[in-house]
Amino acid sequence: MLYTPPPIDPKAPPVRINLLSDTQTKPTAAMREAMARAEVGDEQVGDDPTVNALCERVAALLGKEAAVYMPSGTMCNVTATLVHCRPGDEILAHESAHIIAREGGAHAAIGGFQVTQLKGPDGQFTPETFRKALHPRTRYQPPQTVVSVEQTANIGGGTIWKKAALDEIVAIAKQHGLVTHMDGARLLNATVASGISPRDMTAGWDSAWIDFSKGLGAPIGGVLAGTRAFIDAVWQWKQRLGGSMRQAGVCAAACIYALDHHVDRLADDHANARALARGLSQIAGVEVQEPETNLVFFKPDGAGIAGDKMVAALRQRGVTLAMMDGRIRACTHLDVNAAQVEETIGYVREIVRGA
């Protein structure tokens, strides 16, 4: 099987510490209660009051005219580019961005778009790199239509795009007639860590979205925001792609609960990530990238053990992590506490000693 998720190995020990991703979070008991109490309707015809309330709230949070609830962040990105672009258009994004590396080639397969990969450290390109990638409008080259950034930059280490850089990219894009799109997979991690409001962080960006199924802990969904005309056009693609739902208020209630209770606590995840990085860096031979948010990337090769071997050894101890871009990624979230972070550090030290 090439694409179907593999079955869980029945011989593997149960997972006790899940650092694989913040997508692994489970709805809390209080969130489940909010879902059970949700007032619902038919989202597809616009009469689910909980979905409507969520969309209005996110639009206001991001300073946009309107918003739409989506089953996934991938659908937020794909529908946004389908509206912003026409077949043959060019999108500019960092070479490690979700739209290039994590969405199955959807933008090319469905939209017929070319995505130009911009280089830069820590998952980010500079405004100058963006400027140099621009070319005059000519029939010999694809029309450059969209520039996209990912906040935070996942493969870059969960790094935060600085507001000054975002503003400069917007200015360059507008000068050259490009649309701006912000992939907000971990947008609120960035706003909590930086102290910059979501409205200010997304100011000038034509479209932006928030993922609720990562650090915010909801079981499903993202909300895409922009102008009313943009969201109206997105609805056509939402329908075409099967994203129009029915009693979606059950899930939207979890997102509203997350906005009320799980945003400020993202700071706890960031503190746990710093503690994990600090402990790992004290193990001789382990190379650790200092985290800015909730992602910790490290390499144990200098300690005499390859990353995949370390991941396998930790899995046998009930700890799960991911290999990503040649490094190990540990992701802290609301289902990982400080004691589990210290336990993980102890296991890594133990494995290194035995290498």
Side-chain angles (χ1 to χ4, degrees):
M1 303 291 284
L2 291 176
Y3 306 118
T4 304
I8 296 173
D9 182 357
K11 298 179 181 178
V15 174
R16 296 182 300 101
I17 304 174
N18 194 330
L19 291 162
L20 185 69
S21 176
D22 40 15
T23 62
Q24 302 290 296
T25 56
K26 304 289 177 63
T28 63
M31 180 180 281
R32 289 174 187 264
E33 184 177 341
M35 295 170 71
R37 295 197 313 266
E39 186 179 355
V40 299
D42 189 336
E43 189 256 7
Q44 192 172 122
V45 300
D47 73 353
D48 188 303
T50 308
V51 170
N52 294 342
L54 172 64
C55 292
E56 289 170 7
R57 186 159 173 184
V58 172
L61 184 68
L62 300 184
K64 308 303 179 188
E65 292 180 354
V68 58
Y69 186 41
M70 294 291 200
S72 70
T74 295
M75 190 172 282
C76 289
N77 276 337
V78 172
T79 56
T81 59
L82 287 167
V83 170
H84 289 318
C85 303
R86 294 295 175 266
D89 283 0
E90 180 180 344
I91 302 167
L92 295 94
H94 190 270
E95 61 185 350
S96 67
H98 285 137
I99 65 171
I100 295 172
R102 290 292 182 271
E103 294 178 353
H107 304 271
I110 300 172
F113 312 137
Q114 174 175 309
V115 186
T116 294
Q117 302 182 22
L118 303 181
K119 295 184 179 298
D122 300 329
Q124 302 180 27
F125 54 85
T126 65
E128 188 57 29
T129 296
F130 170 45
R131 190 191 302 275
K132 288 181 177 178
L134 297 172
H135 58 68
R137 293 273 173 165
T138 166
R139 70 177 186 272
Y140 297 107
Q141 293 177 290
Q144 294 179 312
T145 307
V146 174
V147 60
S148 177
V149 300
E150 182 182 309
Q151 184 72 302
T152 63
N154 175 20
I155 301 301
T159 58
I160 301 169
W161 284 80
K162 300 299 184 284
K163 182 71 166 67
L166 293 174
D167 289 346
E168 191 172 351
I169 289 168
V170 166
I172 295 168
K174 298 310 177 188
Q175 180 184 355
H176 293 271
L178 275 74
V179 172
T180 54
H181 173 69
M182 183 179 289
D183 172 337
R186 295 182 176 89
L187 173 59
L188 295 190
N189 286 92
T191 63
V192 167
S194 67
I196 298 170
S197 72
R199 174 184 287 262
D200 288 343
M201 188 71 81
T202 60
W205 292 83
D206 295 302
S207 54
W209 58 275
I210 294 174
D211 195 324
F212 285 92
S213 65
K214 291 186 169 69
L216 293 178
I220 189 172
V223 177
L224 173 64
T227 66
R228 286 188 179 86
F230 167 74
I231 295 301
D232 186 58
V234 166
W235 260 100
Q236 183 179 40
W237 280 110
K238 175 178 158 98
Q239 186 71 38
R240 285 172 170 170
L241 297 176
S244 292
M245 298 175 279
R246 298 301 182 183
Q247 287 70 44
V250 172
C251 293
C255 301
I256 292 174
Y257 182 90
L259 288 175
D260 289 337
H261 300 282
H262 290 173
V263 175
D264 291 342
R265 65 145 309 282
L266 291 171
D268 298 337
D269 300 338
H270 302 163
N272 283 334
R274 290 192 297 272
L276 178 60
R278 184 167 55 250
L280 292 173
S281 67
Q282 293 169 357
I283 302 172
V286 177
E287 178 186 339
V288 187
Q289 179 179 348
E290 184 65 24
E292 295 184 16
T293 50
N294 67 322
L295 304 181
V296 179
F297 281 77
F298 67 100
K299 293 183 71 172
D301 304 60
I305 182 168
D308 58 344
K309 301 296 185 185
M310 174 64 76
V311 169
L314 285 168
R315 182 64 189 85
Q316 290 305 308
R317 291 162 172 80
V319 182
T320 181
L321 305 93
M323 283 298 299
M324 199 167 288
D325 196 40
R327 299 180 291 171
I328 301 174
R329 190 191 77 168
C331 185
T332 56
H333 50 79
L334 63 84
D335 288 340
V336 175
N337 59 40
Q340 291 173 321
V341 165
E342 292 304 316
E343 187 177 353
T344 300
I345 294 167
Y347 286 142
V348 173
R349 187 178 290 112
E350 172 188 298
I351 292 165
V352 166
R353 280 201 302 263

